[in-house]
Amino acid sequence: MASVALAVTDGMLHFELSLAHEVFGSRPAAVTGPWYDLAVCAPAPVRVERFRLEPDHGLDRLAAADTVIVPGWADADADPPAELVDAVRAAHRAGARVASLCTGAFVLAAAGLLDGRRATTHWAHTDALAARYPRVTVDPDVLYVDNGSVLTSAGKAAAMDLCLHLVRLDHGAAVANTVARRLVVPPHRDGGQSQFVTTPVPAPENHPLAALFPWVLERLDQPLMVEDLARQARMSSRHLGRHFRAVTGTTPLQWLLAQRIRHAQELLETTNDGIERIAGATGMGTATTLRRHFQRTVGVPPDTYRRTFRPEAVLTGGHRSVRPGPVR
């Protein structure tokens, strides 16, 4: 069971702390197998905005965690407490994956974990982060940045995106989507990098494409083109493109490809289907096409992805089979 430690001290933001606690501290009923062992770590009872929080452990426990989450820091103009900075630095040296939510990036920067790395934070504080820590490459235009052992997110909703990204890395797309459904949030939003991400179906709203998205998702096995989507939406292709950009931030074809890749991820994780069959089920046509797009989007071939999230999967006589055992 992987351990997650929330690094908390006076002055943390309640929203980011709460959402991290909800994601990593509550295993969804539909998810079987081990979940995270969550601990709240602080030097003493702390004030988180208007709440008093009693920690589970001291900050020294961070060094024993697999993942350390640093929630948003309320006063980004002030230097974070030295004991928190030292504990986060020590945890990273001990091998922990360290992630900051919103202005928690200032703690990581003070610890030197962002030196020479690309990072982000809430858009209102990106200039301050760049000015105070010039060795950090601050990107104000992304939702989150994944550097492997060090991750940073923008504010509020982007903090949820990063938490779901971590669940996706640890447990796969299907489990991350289950968590998202329980929390009634989109499954995932593109963080700005290509590793294990998808573009979401926006939450139901009163926009012109609200009825189009579920229609498309029910027909991913079909060779849909922009003209097909425009015809279904009863608008011109140009008009459709403008609405797609406004609602999803991307083009119809890019969004459609992302949904095909997302569906392929779920099938690789949850079925024994071969690559050729998955290519047909996702509208890719051939295994070669699926492999090319999957490698470019996800960063690894489909077979490697399946072995990552289905370590018990083996090839027998040229066909994929699965040994009994829990799915990661």
Side-chain angles (χ1 to χ4, degrees):
M1 180 182 297
S3 59
V4 174
L6 302 183
V8 185
T9 189
D10 285 329
M12 289 292 181
L13 296 173
H14 177 261
F15 180 84
E16 285 79 1
L17 173 62
S18 298
L19 72 84
H21 196 284
E22 182 66 24
V23 170
F24 299 106
S26 301
R27 180 172 64 86
V31 175
T32 60
W35 195 240
Y36 298 97
D37 179 19
L38 180 69
V40 177
C41 303
V46 295
R47 297 291 300 182
V48 180
E49 295 187 87
R50 292 172 294 175
F51 300 91
R52 184 179 185 274
L53 181 66
E54 189 76 32
D56 301 316
H57 304 280
L59 289 175
D60 58 335
R61 180 62 175 265
L62 298 183
D66 297 307
T67 298
V68 172
I69 306 291
V70 183
W73 178 248
D75 189 359
D77 294 328
D79 292 331
E83 59 182 339
L84 175 63
V85 172
D86 291 343
V88 169
R89 184 189 298 116
H92 186 257
R93 287 176 178 170
R97 176 177 62 182
V98 179
S100 65
L101 308 180
C102 192
T103 49
F106 283 84
V107 177
L108 271 60
L113 303 189
L114 302 182
D115 289 354
R117 287 188 165 107
R118 182 167 155 264
T120 195
T121 188
H122 191 289
W123 61 266
H125 302 285
T126 51
D127 288 344
L129 183 65
R132 195 182 309 176
Y133 302 101
R135 298 183 64 183
V136 181
T137 301
V138 179
D139 189 339
D141 299 321
V142 297
L143 296 175
Y144 61 84
V145 177
D146 182 349
N147 289 301
S149 65
V150 178
L151 305 91
T152 55
S153 84
K156 303 303 179 184
M160 177 64 78
D161 293 315
L162 179 54
C163 289
L164 289 175
H165 174 65
L166 293 174
V167 174
R168 182 177 297 269
L169 291 175
D170 295 340
H171 295 278
V175 171
N177 291 344
T178 297
V179 175
R181 284 193 295 270
R182 180 175 65 85
L183 298 176
V184 198
V185 297
H188 207 83
R189 290 193 292 170
D190 189 340
Q193 82 294 331
S194 62
Q195 187 179 17
F196 301 106
V197 299
T198 66
T199 304
V201 178
E205 295 176 358
N206 294 323
H207 59 72
L209 304 182
L212 179 63
F213 294 125
W215 182 87
V216 173
L217 294 181
E218 292 175 358
R219 294 165 174 81
L220 289 177
D221 60 331
Q222 301 178 18
L224 297 174
M225 301 298 293
V226 173
E227 292 76 16
D228 300 312
L229 273 62
R231 189 179 305 111
Q232 178 64 24
R234 298 181 180 179
M235 59 182 66
S236 68
S237 296
R238 180 175 296 182
H239 199 194
L240 179 76
R242 287 199 295 268
H243 280 298
F244 252 91
R245 180 68 67 178
V247 174
T248 71
T250 189
T251 68
L253 281 181
Q254 289 172 332
W255 179 86
L256 181 58
L257 176 61
Q259 302 315 307
R260 297 191 193 281
I261 296 296
R262 175 196 58 79
H263 189 38
Q265 288 177 300
E266 292 186 348
L267 292 176
L268 287 166
E269 296 171 27
T270 60
T271 75
N272 306 335
D273 293 347
I275 303 303
E276 195 73 43
R277 178 173 292 184
I278 291 176
T282 58
M284 295 288 190
T286 67
T288 299
T289 301
L290 172 59
R291 287 191 174 97
R292 182 175 71 252
H293 287 298
F294 199 95
Q295 171 84 46
R296 185 174 62 192
T297 302
V298 179
V300 297
D303 288 328
T304 301
Y305 183 87
R306 172 171 263 163
R307 286 195 298 270
T308 299
F309 295 111
R310 299 286 294 273
E312 74 284 5
V314 296
L315 280 173
T316 304
H319 298 284
R320 178 72 59 181
S321 64
V322 178
R323 293 175 180 151
V327 178
R328 280 189 58 201

